[in-house]
Amino acid sequence: PFIFSRFRVDLCDASMRLFNLLCARDPHPSQACERRTVGAEFAVNFLGFGGKHDFNASYTDAEDQATNEQLIRRAKNKASYTFTTSIADTDIYSEIKYTGKRIDKAGWPSKIVDLDAYVHVNLGVNYAITPEFKLNARVTNLFDKEYQTIKNYNTQGQAFY
């Protein structure tokens, strides 16, 4: 990592081989399924402009070694940005999360379908009533974005906590 005063940059690469992960294509448990993931992650964190900024971006290529097909439900591209700040006894954060396009299998017999990319915006506030007692509130999926993590599977819309 590169660190300069209140600024930090990280770049990581990753490569994994996984065995017997999601072996649905092969009904014979004695035959191992091998999966491979290769990717990189880039992160920048800094203090300034009124708060703490965290930016993350990643690329992951995950495939079935036997078929050379992309693994289902795994986005190749993801990114997020979080801003946090404090005002008196109150902590405030905002978050934007991007999940790229993915593929899934749906129907019978199953066929490959595309899942669209989506962006979520989340907000939160924490207020210290006393040093030991805090009141927390947040809203997830602020703009009530419709999205799917699995084809034909309902996901939560806007929510308040």
Side-chain angles (χ1 to χ4, degrees), residues 92-109:
I92 301 167
Y93 80 90
S94 60
E95 175 183 56
I96 300 171
K97 296 173 86 174
Y98 167 79
T99 301
K101 289 175 36 174
R102 289 115 30 247
I103 60 169
D104 199 1
K105 290 187 177 181
W108 187 258

Side-chain angles (χ1 to χ4, degrees), residues 20-161:
N20 298 324
L21 175 69
L22 301 173
C23 293
R25 71 169 164 77
D26 191 349
H28 307 291
S30 63
Q31 296 179 355
C33 295
E34 184 179 349
R35 311 293 194 226
R36 176 194 58 83
T37 62
V38 175
E41 183 173 359
F42 174 73
V44 175
N45 315 94
F46 70 93
L47 292 172
F49 304 109
K52 182 179 178 200
H53 304 263
D54 296 300
F55 173 77
N56 234 13
S58 65
Y59 171 83
T60 305
D61 183 20
E63 68 178 33
D64 182 325
Q65 291 294 93
T67 64
N68 292 324
E69 292 177 351
Q70 181 73 23
L71 293 184
I72 62 172
R73 303 180 191 137
R74 286 169 175 77
K76 285 189 175 189
N77 301 299
K78 290 184 176 184
S80 66
Y81 169 75
T82 305
F83 174 75
T84 56
T85 192
S86 295
I87 302 170
D89 294 332
T90 305
D91 296 327
I92 301 167
Y93 80 90
S94 60
E95 175 183 56
I96 300 171
K97 296 173 86 174
Y98 167 79
T99 301
K101 289 175 36 174
R102 289 115 30 247
I103 60 169
D104 199 1
K105 290 187 177 181
W108 187 258
S110 66
K111 65 178 182 170
I112 298 291
V113 295
D114 291 325
L115 297 175
D116 291 333
Y118 60 90
V119 175
H120 275 169
V121 176
N122 306 311
L123 300 175
V125 63
N126 302 316
Y127 175 71
I129 295 172
T130 69
E132 296 82 23
F133 186 72
K134 290 186 178 183
L135 180 63
N136 300 314
R138 68 182 166 130
V139 58
T140 58
N141 197 1
L142 178 66
F143 299 113
D144 202 19
K145 173 73 174 168
E146 290 187 20
Y147 65 102
Q148 290 187 323
T149 57
I150 299 171
K151 185 69 175 173
N152 300 321
Y153 182 81
N154 291 329
T155 51
Q156 185 172 18
Q158 186 181 61
F160 298 90
Y161 300 94

